């Protein structure tokens, strides 16, 4: 494999929480020893239930959060050791598309002010009128036309779908090589989702951008990362990484199996046939008091003695990475 | 808009007038109370600017004309020394407005800077700054002002309007600083701030271009409310005789009225009522006007 565009190397992020007035400080390992790499022009879908650390991992990769352990490398350089021009280049190269379209734009500022400051900062446009022209082109690119209608609007006069398109235009305005799309379509109407996903996929062809596509929806991940990779996350750990279609068709990690089982199927017969012994518990363990050994053993139908004692490492099994003692 | 790279100076000025004067006024016009307040404030400003040039002030005592009721010659009657009350009010107006505005400005400036600094820095800096702010908050403002004013008079230092303004904002910034800080705390977690960060737009851009527009309506509103507070304190200190006498000052007029017991006998009631009414009506105007401010600055409240 060539040098990845961006990779985390045994990266952990620990948050401190204090319970009660005089409570003891506790630590939450939101991201726990995660090693994940993304190649140039690659899509990696990151799937997991809410609170499992997906967004935290995304923010670590964007240098919005500093890892407490391990490293995040961009083109083989630790992003926290970058200085001056190099860091500026990283800031231009890695962008975010946040989840909630309604808070992704500054409510007090016109649409154009979400686009032109960065065009001027990175000298993509040499003056204001050129920046304005480019902003209009960006809006047209994400399907907002005529763009002049939108440039001078305030976000309160836009729909959720329109805001998300502008959010995409803003992320692409600096021609990044890597984008973290954090649940970018989960708050949109189902009818709009595919449309927005297609815009992202089409623009990827044009700009060859790599994506970390964070979602809790397997169907969306399957559509967006078709032919690419998927990573399954559970309580701060990556438990399975592999080709999207292979992982979904033939999940290996019990958690992945459970996750795929949980997707409702319209045919009850078919649903029964998919067969997986029921989970031992439906309760997600507390992040503050994580189970020993494999974090999934409290719920895993296949759990054995070793699962309670030893944390399984991510190992290569049949063309994919799985963290489970079964393999 | 393409092609119009070079605009004439006149064009820029016209669009500036449109953006900063015409559009805010049309937005203001949708709120009747705000319009009323605006007109009252405008009247006072006119009074302060033009009044002293038109109405002559004669402070020579003429006891024959003392305590005259309102008439055409003396619209608000005369004081115990036979001087025109209206003329005194008019000549006191610039002083009142300038001190109120300056004090409001200083209050808002300190409050905003401290609030933004504390909220944006977070952590230990936030803790220290907010502890100091809390201590200032617990100090009773007016009594402290009385003590300082009395001290200034006693030490013979000449109190100019800038000192008066600084004095009046000595404790009033704390409440605003706390409010601004809490707003910053919630705004700085908004996704659009995160995106500005990943775009590498820098702290100054984030504070002035992203956060500021969000708290600006609140700050302007507080500017007006601080002016109201400062005006009361200023009149109060003057009425208690704790600041050096300034002829025509509304508070000083009340002080003189009380000194000659116009308040008790009722003979000189015009002398005490006129400045009191002048202050009250100005305050009402400011309060009403402040209602319209939010509408001007907040695009979500605009209806088109």
């Amino acid at each position: 494999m060539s040098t990845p565009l961006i990779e985390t190397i045994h990266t952990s992020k620990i948050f401190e929480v204090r319970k009660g007035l005089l409570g003891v400080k506790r630590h939450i390992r939101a991201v726990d020893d995660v090693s994940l790499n993304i190649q140039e022009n690659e899509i990696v879908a990151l799937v997991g239930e809410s609170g499992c650390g997906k967004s935290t991992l995304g923010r670590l990769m964007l240098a919005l959060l500093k890892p407490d352990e391990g490293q995040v490398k961009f083109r083989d350089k630790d992003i926290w050791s970058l200085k001056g021009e190099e860091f500026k280049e990283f800031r231009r190269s890695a962008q975010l598309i946040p989840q909630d379209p309604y808070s992704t734009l500054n409510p007090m500022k016109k649409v154009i002010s979400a686009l032109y400051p960065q065009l001027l900062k990175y000298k993509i446009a040499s003056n204001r009128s050129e920046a304005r022209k480019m902003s209009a082109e960006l809006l047209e690119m994400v399907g907002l036309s005529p763009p002049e209608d939108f440039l001078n609007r305030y976000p309160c006069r836009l729909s959720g779908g329109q805001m998300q398109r502008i959010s995409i235009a803003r992320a692409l305005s600096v021609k990044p090589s890597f984008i973290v799309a954090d649940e970018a379509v989960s708050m949109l109407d189902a009818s709009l989702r595919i449309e927005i996903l297609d815009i992202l996929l089409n623009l990827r062809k044009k700009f060859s951008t790599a994506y970390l596509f964070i979602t809790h929806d397997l169907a969306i991940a399957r559509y967006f990362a078709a032919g690419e990779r998927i990573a399954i996350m559970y309580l701060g750990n990556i438990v399975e990484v592999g080709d999207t279609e292979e992982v979904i068709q033939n999940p290996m990690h019990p958690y992945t199996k459970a996750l795929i089982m949980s997707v409702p199927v319209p045919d009850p017969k078919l649903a029964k046939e998919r067969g997986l012994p029921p989970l031992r518990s439906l309760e997600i363990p507390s992040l503050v008091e994580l189970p020993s050994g494999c974090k999934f053993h409290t719920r895993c139908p296949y759990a054995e003695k070793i699962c309670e004692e030893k944390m399984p490492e991510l190992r290569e099994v049949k063309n994919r990475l799985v963290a489970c003692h079964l393999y | 808009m393409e092609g119009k790279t070079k605009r004439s100076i006149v064009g820029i000025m016209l669009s500036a007038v449109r953006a900063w004067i015409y559009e805010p006024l049309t937005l203001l016009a949708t709120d009747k109370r705000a319009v009323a307040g605006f007109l009252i404030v405008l009247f006072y400003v006119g009074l302060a600017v033009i009044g002293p040039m038109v109405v002559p002030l004669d402070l020579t005592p003429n006891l024959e004309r003392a305590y005259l009721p309102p008439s055409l010659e003396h619209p608000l009657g005369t004081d115990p020394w036979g001087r025109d009350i209206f003329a005194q009010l008019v000549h006191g107006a610039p002083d009142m407005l300038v001190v109120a505005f300056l004090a409001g400005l200083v209050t808002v400036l300190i409050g905003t800077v401290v609030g933004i600094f504390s909220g944006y820095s977070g952590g230990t800096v936030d803790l220290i700054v907010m502890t100091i702010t809390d201590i200032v908050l617990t100090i009773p403002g007016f009594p402290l002002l009385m003590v300082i004013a009395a001290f200034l008079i006693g030490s013979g230092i000449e109190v100019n309007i800038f000192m008066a303004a600084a004095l009046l904002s000595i404790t009033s910034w704390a409440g605003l600083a706390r409010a601004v800080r809490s707003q910053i705390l919630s705004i700085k977690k908004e996704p659009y701030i995160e995106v500005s960060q990943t775009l590498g737009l820098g702290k100054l851009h984030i504070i002035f271009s992203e956060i500021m527009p969000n708290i600006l309506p609140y700050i302007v509103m507080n500017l007006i409310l601080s002016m109201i507070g400062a005006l009361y304190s200023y009149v109060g200190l003057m009425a208690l005789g704790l600041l050096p006498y300034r002829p025509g000052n509304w508070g000083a007029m009340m002080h003189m009225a009380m000194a000659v017991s116009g308040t008790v006998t009722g003979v000189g009631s015009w002398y005490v009522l006129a400045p009191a009414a002048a202050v009250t009506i100005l305050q009402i105007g400011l309060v009403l006007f402040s209602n319209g401010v939010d509408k001007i600055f907040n695009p979500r409240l605009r209806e088109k």
Side-chain angles (χ1 to χ4, degrees):
Chain A
M1 254 194 214
S2 57
T3 318
L5 176 66
I6 194 153
E7 62 180 328
T8 62
I9 302 165
H10 299 291
T11 307
S12 300
K13 180 71 199 174
I14 300 157
F15 292 118
E16 231 169 50
V17 281
R18 200 189 277 270
K19 264 192 176 174
L21 192 62
L22 297 167
V24 218
K25 271 187 199 164
R26 310 224 189 187
H27 297 284
I28 287 180
R29 299 182 79 91
V31 168
D32 188 6
D33 193 21
V34 167
S35 298
L36 181 69
N37 63 63
I38 298 171
Q39 306 293 321
E40 303 262 358
N41 195 21
E42 188 193 26
I43 293 177
V44 172
L46 184 61
V47 182
E49 48 203 350
S50 40
C52 74
K54 311 181 292 260
S55 296
T56 308
L57 184 58
R59 274 158 184 73
L60 285 169
M61 285 186 165
L62 289 171
L64 286 172
L65 291 173
K66 194 170 183 174
D68 294 306
E69 289 163 17
Q71 281 180 312
V72 180
K73 280 186 172 178
F74 177 74
R75 293 198 167 123
D76 219 25
K77 280 186 182 158
D78 187 335
I79 53 177
W80 288 96
S81 70
L82 298 176
K83 297 250 152 53
E85 281 301 309
E86 274 187 321
F87 189 69
K88 195 177 163 190
E89 176 58 18
F90 169 74
R91 276 296 185 223
R92 188 193 62 77
S93 304
Q95 294 307 327
L96 170 72
I97 300 174
Q99 171 175 20
D100 180 2
Y102 294 95
S103 57
T104 190
L105 296 173
N106 193 331
M108 305 299 278
K109 305 197 76 186
K110 290 176 179 173
V111 168
I112 183 159
S113 10
L115 299 169
Y116 82 79
Q118 58 267 34
L119 294 175
L120 292 176
K121 165 150 187 152
Y122 295 104
K123 302 202 169 57
I124 298 166
S126 52
N127 56 45
R128 271 181 174 246
S129 65
E130 200 187 337
R132 192 184 172 87
K133 209 169 138 189
M134 282 184 168
S135 306
E137 282 164 13
L138 283 164
L139 291 190
E140 210 144 1
M141 202 173 69
V142 292
L144 293 174
S145 64
E148 285 296 334
D149 269 11
F150 292 92
L151 284 178
N152 281 323
R153 273 202 213 170
Y154 283 98
C156 57
R157 316 221 321 128
L158 297 168
S159 70
Q162 287 169 340
M163 287 188 196
Q164 206 61 336
R165 282 165 200 259
I166 292 164
S167 180
I168 292 168
R170 177 177 54 187
L172 289 168
S173 62
V174 290
K175 304 190 169 61
S177 46
F178 172 57
I179 289 180
V180 172
D182 187 0
E183 304 264 18
V185 294
S186 62
M187 285 186 73
L188 297 175
D189 285 351
S191 57
L192 266 174
R193 284 186 192 161
I194 297 293
E195 219 179 305
I196 299 286
L197 290 179
D198 283 342
I199 289 178
L200 285 174
L201 288 172
N202 283 333
L203 291 171
R204 177 187 168 232
K205 277 183 207 147
K206 199 169 156 190
F207 293 106
S208 38
T209 322
Y211 279 92
L212 179 71
F213 188 81
I214 301 173
T215 181
H216 61 267
D217 187 334
L218 273 170
I220 295 278
R222 191 178 189 177
Y223 182 84
F224 193 77
E228 307 273 344
R229 282 193 301 155
I230 192 169
I232 311 290
M233 201 164 176
Y234 181 71
L235 295 183
N237 292 120
I238 301 272
V239 294
E240 187 162 0
V241 187
D243 176 81
T244 307
E245 207 50 37
E246 274 177 36
V247 169
I248 288 174
Q249 291 294 339
N250 179 27
M252 289 169 102
H253 194 283
Y255 176 68
T256 317
K257 285 183 186 172
L259 203 63
I260 287 163
M261 283 290 296
S262 69
V263 178
V265 186
D267 185 351
K269 237 185 186 173
L270 207 70
K272 262 183 203 165
E273 276 170 21
R274 294 194 296 180
L276 169 86
L279 291 179
R280 292 205 292 177
S281 153
L282 289 175
E283 217 165 294
I284 304 169
S286 152
L287 278 166
V288 183
E289 285 160 77
L290 285 171
S292 60
C294 174
K295 288 174 188 169
F296 192 55
H297 86 256
T298 52
R299 301 169 72 191
C300 182
Y302 308 109
E304 289 165 26
K305 191 115 206 292
I306 185 171
C307 302
E308 287 169 38
E309 287 154 9
K310 200 167 160 263
M311 174 113 119
E313 273 170 40
L314 209 54
R315 277 192 308 268
E316 192 160 347
V317 185
K318 284 189 237 160
N319 223 354
R320 112 170 50 153
L321 298 168
V322 187
C324 182
H325 291 300
L326 284 175
Y327 302 97
Chain B
M1 279 290 162
E2 293 129 58
K4 280 187 185 174
T5 41
K6 281 180 188 168
R7 286 190 294 172
S8 65
I9 296 170
V10 180
I12 291 172
M13 276 171 67
L14 273 178
S15 65
V17 166
R18 202 186 142 76
W20 293 100
I21 299 172
Y22 176 72
E23 279 183 12
L25 283 182
T26 47
L27 289 167
L28 191 75
T30 54
D31 187 338
K32 281 176 192 156
R33 281 158 31 105
V35 172
F38 179 69
L39 290 178
I40 293 174
V41 175
L42 203 65
F43 170 74
Y44 272 85
V45 172
L47 198 72
V49 175
I50 306 164
M53 291 185 255
V54 183
V55 184
L57 178 66
D58 181 11
L59 285 176
T60 30
N62 182 349
L63 293 176
E64 281 170 26
R65 284 188 295 164
Y67 299 124
L68 286 183
S71 62
L72 274 179
E73 198 189 344
H74 304 291
L76 292 172
T78 57
D79 72 2
W81 295 275
R83 300 172 303 197
D84 187 57
I85 291 174
F86 180 69
Q88 290 186 48
L89 275 184
V90 168
H91 283 262
D95 188 52
M96 302 300 298
L97 290 186
V98 170
V99 169
F101 182 72
L102 282 178
L105 207 64
V106 174
T107 302
V108 164
L109 218 61
I110 300 176
T112 309
V113 170
V114 170
I116 290 180
F117 174 70
S118 186
Y120 196 79
S121 309
T124 320
V125 176
D126 185 34
L127 188 72
I128 294 169
V129 175
M130 277 306 118
T131 308
I132 296 170
T133 307
D134 283 344
I135 293 171
V136 175
L137 263 179
T138 57
I139 299 172
F142 196 71
L144 178 71
L145 284 179
M146 287 166 64
V147 172
I148 298 177
F151 170 76
L152 283 177
I153 280 200
S155 61
I157 299 167
E158 200 191 332
V159 183
N160 58 31
I161 49 174
F162 298 102
M163 280 178 71
L167 182 68
L168 291 170
S169 42
I170 202 159
T171 57
S172 52
W173 58 270
L176 180 65
R178 254 211 169 282
V180 166
R181 169 196 171 258
S182 65
Q183 294 212 1
I184 302 288
L185 286 186
S186 74
I187 293 171
K188 78 172 181 182
K189 285 190 191 128
E190 291 284 336
Y192 54 84
I193 302 293
E194 259 187 341
V195 173
S196 301
Q197 260 174 291
T198 61
L199 284 167
L201 290 173
K203 267 183 199 167
L204 288 179
H205 173 91
I206 290 175
I207 290 175
F208 290 103
S209 279
E210 305 288 341
I211 294 178
M212 264 309 225
N214 280 283
I215 57 172
L216 199 62
Y218 187 74
I219 289 173
V220 176
M221 186 109 86
N222 266 279
L223 172 66
I224 298 175
L225 296 178
S226 306
M227 280 171 67
I228 293 171
L231 208 53
Y232 271 134
S233 302
Y234 189 42
V235 170
L237 287 178
M238 276 289 187
L240 290 173
L242 288 169
L243 282 177
Y245 174 76
R246 298 172 77 89
N249 183 292
W250 302 348
M253 287 168 74
M254 290 187 215
H255 178 67
M256 297 311 284
M258 284 191 286
V260 296
S261 58
T263 44
V264 185
T265 58
V267 194
S269 43
W270 280 99
Y271 194 35
V272 72
L273 284 181
V279 173
T280 312
I281 295 170
L282 175 57
Q283 304 283 46
I284 292 172
L286 287 170
V287 170
L288 291 176
F289 179 51
S290 71
N291 286 316
V293 168
D294 207 21
K295 221 169 210 171
I296 292 175
F297 285 95
N298 195 339
R300 279 168 292 194
L301 295 176
R302 290 176 199 167
E303 288 158 311
K304 281 185 184 170

